[in-house]
């Protein structure tokens, strides 16, 4: 955050509010300090957060598929918000939605929150609805890989494999096609095109799914060129400048994009190798710390802490992957969520180290915590 501030202040005079607008990429870190501070001051908030996650999952699983269908089928009649023509209320992005679906899946597998047939059905519906997006598929897949490494013997994996296989075969045999946007749909063909475009395809073909992939790769190569291999190695271009205009990489309707659809490379482009190194180190140390306490809680046979650290790891993995393919951490929809979860991950090991049993008390009190800690 300090380095981000150093790369923002010099550009305020030239770019004004845009410098602060781009600077939220690091400024949202305030939420991590705030959340961690509240939990350390009142450890029972970890219990409160678990209950809130349970309530959130219920509401989210009911509303997300409905909002997604409404957004995709009635986009033209939804009210516009702000200057962007494509900003509506409500708004729906498959990758962003899949991050939370991954966390809810982990919470179901770990038993952090209760699940039932209705919730699982809504979860599956949400996953299917978001499956037209490559970023969404990758974010969920990465989160599930982490979840599998943490819980390899869970019964969910057999059920999920059978369901996924049966659904894929059914789509292939029936050739069902559910239109989502002008060039996207839920179908077996769309699924295979998404997988193929992730693994192959570098040529710009109007009839393929590689168009957006190509300009992103070109833009990312250009950023690496003027930072790692160029004169802006250490400092980057700073916060405030429009990267799309400066890099001269986009034309037409995409021209208004300010960030290269990769939060990690946005850090590199705006704050150089120093900023990227700090960013990578920060996340790796956080993840290593959570993994350490996940393993420690298993040695203690303390399932409550084990579940909490497991969900945090899965959440983090989904955040990282989705941020690598979309403008996610640069806005409040992703930035506030990510840094809030990060703050929980800062405070939880500190509380766990003192073995404060806040997650196993029905209604823990401050006096009970002090007594148990002593």
């Amino acid at each position: 955050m300090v380095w981000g501030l150093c790369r923002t202040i010099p550009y305020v005079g030239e770019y004004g509010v845009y410098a602060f607008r781009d600077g939220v990429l690091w400024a949202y870190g305030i939420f991590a300090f705030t959340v961690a501070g509240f939990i350390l001051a009142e450890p029972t908030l970890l219990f409160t957060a678990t209950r809130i996650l349970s309530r959130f999952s219920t509401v989210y699983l009911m509303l997300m598929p409905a909002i997604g269908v409404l957004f995709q089928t009635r986009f033209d009649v939804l009210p516009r918000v702000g200057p962007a023509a494509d900003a509506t209320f409500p708004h729906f992005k498959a990758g962003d939605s899949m991050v939370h679906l991954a966390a809810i899946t982990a919470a179901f597998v770990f038993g952090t929150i209760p699940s039932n047939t209705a919730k699982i059905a809504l979860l599956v519906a949400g996953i299917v609805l978001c499956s037209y997006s490559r970023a969404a598929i990758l974010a969920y897949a990465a989160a599930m890989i982490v979840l599998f490494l943490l819980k390899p013997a869970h019964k969910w994996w057999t059920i999920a494999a059978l369901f996924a296989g049966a659904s894929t075969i059914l789509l292939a045999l029936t050739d069902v096609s559910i239109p989502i946007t002008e060039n996207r749909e839920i179908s077996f063909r769309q699924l295979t095109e998404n997988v193929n475009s992730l693994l192959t395809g570098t040529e710009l073909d109007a009839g393929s799914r590689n168009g957006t992939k190509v300009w992103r790769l070109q833009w990312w190569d250009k950023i690496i060129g003027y930072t790692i291999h160029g004169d802006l190695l250490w400092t980057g271009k700073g916060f405030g400048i429009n990267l799309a205009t400066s890099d001269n990489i986009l034309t037409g309707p995409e021209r208004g994009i300010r960030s290269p659809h990769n939060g990690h490379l946005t850090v590199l482009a705006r704050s150089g190798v120093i900023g990227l190194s700090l960013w990578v180190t920060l996340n790796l140390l956080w993840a290593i710390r959570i993994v350490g306490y996940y393993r420690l809680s298993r040695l203690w046979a303390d399932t409550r802490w084990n579940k909490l650290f497991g969900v945090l790891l899965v959440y983090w993995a989904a955040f990282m992957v989705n941020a690598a393919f979309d403008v996610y951490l640069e806005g409040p929809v992703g930035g506030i969520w990510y840094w809030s979860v990060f703050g929980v991950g800062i405070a939880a090991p500190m509380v766990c180290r003192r073995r404060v049993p806040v997650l196993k008390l029905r209604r823990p009190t401050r006096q009970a915590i002090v007594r148990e800690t002593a």
Side-chain angles (χ1 to χ4, degrees):
M1 291 177 67
V2 171
W3 180 247
L5 180 63
C6 293
R7 300 302 301 141
T8 302
I9 295 300
Y11 302 95
V12 174
E14 182 177 359
Y15 298 108
V17 69
Y18 288 104
F20 294 110
R21 180 213 180 279
D22 295 333
V24 297
L25 178 64
W26 56 265
Y28 281 136
I30 294 173
F31 282 90
F33 287 109
T34 304
V35 171
F38 273 112
I39 292 175
L40 291 175
E42 186 60 70
T44 57
L45 288 176
L46 281 173
F47 173 80
T48 303
T50 303
R51 290 190 290 114
I52 291 175
L53 177 62
S54 179
R55 295 173 183 175
F56 166 76
S57 67
T58 302
V59 176
Y60 188 79
L61 289 175
M62 290 190 297
L63 292 183
M64 192 280 288
I67 291 175
V69 172
L70 175 65
F71 179 81
Q72 301 294 355
T73 60
R74 306 295 294 173
F75 177 83
D76 295 336
V77 301
L78 292 177
R80 298 302 187 264
V81 180
D86 62 344
T88 64
F89 181 82
H91 197 78
F92 175 81
K93 294 183 71 175
D96 301 2
S97 301
M98 198 71 99
V99 170
H100 302 300
L101 292 179
I104 292 172
T105 302
F108 284 168
V109 170
F110 278 104
T112 308
I113 58 178
S115 61
N116 52 45
T117 303
K119 286 185 177 181
I120 295 174
L122 289 172
L123 174 65
V124 172
I127 294 171
V128 172
L129 179 64
C130 297
S131 64
Y132 69 87
S133 167
R134 292 171 295 190
I137 293 174
L138 279 177
Y140 192 81
M144 292 305 99
I145 291 173
V146 172
L147 183 57
F148 177 78
L149 293 175
L150 298 177
K151 300 282 287 185
H154 199 275
K155 63 180 181 180
W156 267 57
W157 299 117
T158 302
I159 298 173
L162 292 174
F163 177 81
S167 300
T168 303
I169 293 173
L170 183 63
L171 284 175
L173 293 177
T174 60
D175 198 26
V176 173
S177 176
I178 304 175
I180 297 297
T181 63
E182 183 178 348
N183 60 350
R184 299 194 185 194
E185 60 188 25
I186 298 176
S187 66
F188 181 76
R189 182 174 64 86
Q190 177 76 80
L191 180 62
T192 55
E193 285 185 359
N194 282 343
V195 174
N196 182 65
S197 66
L198 289 171
L199 301 177
T200 63
T202 57
E203 298 297 327
L204 182 58
D205 181 2
S208 72
R209 295 284 298 117
N210 294 324
T212 58
K213 176 182 176 181
V214 170
W215 66 253
R216 290 183 192 187
L217 291 176
Q218 291 174 346
W219 198 353
W220 299 349
D221 287 341
K222 198 161 191 175
I223 291 173
I224 294 173
Y226 62 71
T227 52
I228 295 178
H229 303 297
D231 298 333
L232 301 175
L233 171 65
W234 303 113
T235 62
K237 291 189 173 183
F239 292 87
I241 188 172
N242 187 318
L243 291 179
T245 303
S246 175
D247 296 344
N248 194 28
I249 196 68
L250 297 178
T251 58
E254 305 287 354
R255 188 70 177 179
I257 297 176
R258 297 181 58 86
S259 300
H261 281 236
N262 187 318
H264 314 301
L265 285 182
T266 300
V267 173
L268 175 63
R270 295 195 180 278
S271 58
V273 170
I274 294 177
L276 182 63
S277 299
L278 292 170
W279 171 249
V280 172
T281 302
L282 177 72
N283 279 281
L284 285 180
L285 290 178
W286 186 93
I288 291 172
R289 183 175 175 82
I290 298 299
V291 169
Y293 274 87
Y294 176 83
R295 297 179 63 183
L296 189 61
S297 61
R298 290 190 65 179
L299 292 175
W300 289 341
D302 194 330
T303 58
R304 292 158 294 276
W305 285 106
N306 189 248
K307 294 173 182 178
L308 175 63
F309 292 123
V311 173
L312 286 175
L313 279 172
V314 173
Y315 226 154
W316 173 82
F319 276 119
M320 289 292 98
V321 174
N322 189 53
F325 295 94
D326 207 347
V327 183
Y328 187 45
L329 301 182
E330 297 90 329
V333 174
I336 293 177
W337 272 99
Y338 166 75
W339 286 110
S340 296
V341 171
F342 198 95
V344 175
I346 292 175
M350 297 182 182
V351 178
C352 181
R353 189 168 57 215
R354 296 180 301 189
R355 299 300 302 274
V356 179
V358 295
L359 298 184
K360 66 181 179 182
L361 298 177
R362 178 60 182 171
R363 290 191 178 275
T365 63
R366 183 183 295 274
Q367 292 77 14
I369 291 176
V370 171
R371 184 169 59 253
E372 291 287 345
T373 305

